[in-house]
Amino acid sequence: MKKKIVTVVGARPQFIKVAPVSRVLRQQFDEVLVHTGQHYDYNMAGVFFEELNIPKPDYNLDVGSGSHGKQTGEMLEKIEQVLLKEKPDGVLVYGDTNSTLAAAIAASKLHIPIFHIEAGLRSFNKKMPEEVNRVLTDHVSSLLFAPTSVAVNQLASEGITDGVYAVGDVMYDAFLYNLNIAKEKITLKDFNVNEREYYLSTIHRAENTDNETRLKAIISALMEIKETVLLPLHPRTQKKLSNIGLLEKVKNAKNIKLLEPISYLEMIYLEKYSKGIITDSGGVQKEAYFAHVPCFTLRNETEWVETVNVHWNTLVNPTQEKLNEIVGNYQVVQYVEGIYGDGTASEKIVQYIDNYFNK
Ligand code: UD1
Ligand code: UDP
């Protein structure tokens, strides 16, 4: 009989990561897909299931938004019920959201092996909710799929060496699989921009949205960019801007084109032909590198240190540095291939899960 894996996802980047892995996993395993409902707007969730042909979730826990404790607690309770009913052989989790942590706690209490994709990432900033989620998840996981050797070494420095495998990054698998599909479906005309004449920006990280001084500085910095800035806005940021009375200013800014969150195919297409990317997203930093486009990251630190080390990513503190000058002065350097693997992370992950059950 096939082994049963319960996969838990809930937030936008997890839908993108689950697509390539699920495709391979289902060839060998019985996968039960759980969507916690952490993200629920059509353009934050449903669009990705449709566009990336992700199987319909077997369970939608409909948890929605809330404070960290409330959201994580409700997920924990509901995921436990699913696990008690399904009795899986393993639980697969992705990244570092509250959905990841809730699944990891639920599974560990029931002694179900946890397989963590994107293990070993650290920002060393415990004020980030994601940092707590990833550290705790790594420490209860049986298989830890690290995207890079830096992540493997980090886990070793925390005493975790068993079950750790460097497999590359599943977001690279997704990017390679979907870029040609995007080229067939999307054009720059849809967004009224020309190749290499615009910047693409996303902002959603709590440290930027929840700090009024920082959020104001980011908006001012984007308004100083000479070129057009396409800004597909996360609902969290939209709400914060509205609360502090800045949304109208952004809407009226001459160089900013404010958009609702866009689909993954639209996103990678716009990344590919942009002049550069300005973001605080984890995934988008990597995609800038996959797309061979310079990235400017509005954070004080990043987990994706390799992108900075090869000079395709620059950290910018918007309250202390001039973004438009840094962006304008950026000189393209030679591209270093392969820092996130070769696009076969999903196959490697499924092989290691299979080996785990056959050891
Ligand atoms: C979460 C993850 C973050 C990840 C991001 C990806 C945690 C702690 N954070 O942050 O690591 O980078 O997802 O996008 O898990 N909202 C809506 N509609 C939605 C979803 C959210 O309006 O479909 C609004 C709500 O006001 C909500 C807020 O966005 O309170 C924040 O959503 P939440 O999922 O709590 O955190 P994110 O900032 O999205
Ligand atoms: N993304 C998208 N539409 C958008 C913004 C982002 O499809 O409007 C995709 C992006 O291409 C990447 C992923 O969402 O694949 C990144 O997710 P997000 O920035 O929400 O979270 P993070 O990676 O920071 O956890």
Side-chain angles (χ1 to χ4, degrees):
M1 223 178 54
K2 282 183 180 174
K3 296 280 184 193
K4 186 191 277 187
I5 307 287
V6 164
T7 295
V8 180
V9 293
R12 175 167 67 187
Q14 295 169 329
F15 308 137
I16 287 146
K17 291 167 199 174
V18 82
V21 179
S22 191
R23 206 166 21 244
V24 186
L25 190 77
R26 284 177 184 235
Q27 292 167 12
Q28 262 166 279
F29 293 94
D30 180 9
E31 183 182 48
V32 175
L33 186 59
V34 178
H35 175 6
T36 62
Q38 177 171 350
H39 286 175
Y40 44 86
D41 289 345
Y42 174 74
N43 58 20
M44 292 296 289
V47 65
F48 302 104
F49 282 85
E50 286 174 14
E51 198 176 52
L52 303 175
N53 291 317
I54 303 166
K56 192 172 173 305
D58 298 282
Y59 295 87
N60 190 327
L61 306 182
D62 238 347
V63 167
S65 305
S67 66
H68 287 285
K70 183 175 180 298
Q71 188 181 54
T72 312
E74 202 176 318
M75 288 177 192
L76 173 57
E77 196 179 334
K78 291 186 169 175
I79 294 169
E80 182 181 61
Q81 286 167 17
V82 173
L83 298 182
L84 287 170
K85 180 161 171 245
E86 294 289 343
K87 301 186 177 44
D89 300 288
V91 170
L92 186 59
V93 297
Y94 291 83
D96 52 21
T97 71
N98 288 347
S99 299
T100 316
L101 179 63
I105 298 175
S108 67
K109 298 281 183 184
L110 296 171
H111 311 294
I112 303 168
I114 299 158
F115 310 142
H116 185 203
I117 295 183
E118 220 176 71
L121 273 289
R122 297 290 181 267
S123 66
F124 305 103
N125 175 0
K126 286 262 171 62
K127 286 197 177 142
M128 276 181 86
E130 294 84 359
E131 183 74 354
V132 177
N133 293 346
R134 33 172 112 96
V135 171
L136 296 179
T137 302
D138 281 342
H139 282 259
V140 290
S141 291
S142 298
L143 290 179
L144 298 99
F145 298 115
T148 64
S149 54
V150 172
V152 171
N153 293 339
Q154 179 57 37
L155 291 168
S157 78
E158 295 175 22
I160 307 174
T161 49
D162 279 356
V164 176
Y165 300 100
V167 291
D169 197 302
V170 296
M171 288 191 87
Y172 189 38
D173 300 11
F175 186 87
L176 291 180
Y177 185 89
N178 286 296
L179 187 60
N180 284 335
I181 300 174
K183 285 179 181 171
E184 281 169 19
K185 295 194 171 166
I186 319 287
T187 80
L188 291 181
K189 285 203 194 86
D190 301 340
F191 294 89
N192 213 6
V193 286
N194 296 321
E195 191 170 333
R196 309 280 169 235
E197 290 182 6
Y198 65 93
Y199 285 87
L200 177 65
S201 180
T202 74
I203 308 293
H204 76 277
R205 194 102 359 241
E207 71 214 53
N208 285 331
T209 58
D210 295 7
N211 177 331
E212 195 171 324
T213 311
R214 232 179 129 90
L215 187 55
K216 281 184 173 159
I218 289 171
I219 296 303
S220 300
L222 292 179
M223 288 173 67
E224 282 168 16
I225 299 285
K226 278 205 316 292
E227 293 80 356
T228 297
V229 176
L230 294 181
L231 183 61
L233 210 54
H234 190 292
R236 171 190 202 106
T237 320
Q238 175 126 6
K239 283 173 192 163
K240 296 283 174 179
L241 285 174
S242 178
N243 290 347
I244 60 171
L246 262 187
L247 194 57
E248 283 308 305
K249 188 174 170 187
V250 178
K251 281 185 182 160
N252 295 329
K254 274 208 300 290
N255 69 322
I256 297 181
K257 281 194 185 166
L258 189 62
L259 306 169
E260 291 291 314
I262 55 180
S263 79
Y264 177 69
L265 294 183
E266 291 174 323
M267 188 70 191
I268 58 174
Y269 190 82
L270 288 175
E271 287 170 348
K272 182 70 193 161
Y273 296 109
S274 69
K275 190 165 182 189
I277 292 174
I278 301 166
T279 192
D280 60 9
S281 156
V284 175
Q285 290 175 62
K286 287 181 285 178
E287 287 168 352
Y289 162 81
F290 303 154
H292 295 225
V293 163
C295 188
F296 305 89
T297 297
L298 302 177
R299 289 184 50 196
N300 298 341
E301 71 276 314
T302 180
E303 306 74 35
W304 303 105
V305 287
E306 306 76 20
T307 56
V308 176
N309 293 342
V310 298
H311 302 294
W312 281 81
N313 190 5
T314 309
L315 296 178
V316 183
N317 182 338
T319 60
Q320 288 173 15
E321 294 175 288
K322 295 290 283 175
L323 177 69
N324 64 337
E325 286 175 14
I326 294 172
V327 166
N329 292 335
Y330 177 80
Q331 300 285 327
V332 170
V333 293
Q334 201 179 351
Y335 192 75
V336 179
E337 296 284 345
I339 59 177
Y340 293 116
D342 60 6
T344 60
S346 307
E347 282 82 1
K348 293 191 179 96
I349 286 167
V350 173
Q351 187 60 54
Y352 283 121
I353 295 176
D354 194 45
N355 295 350
Y356 176 84
F357 289 120
N358 291 313
K359 71 179 179 220

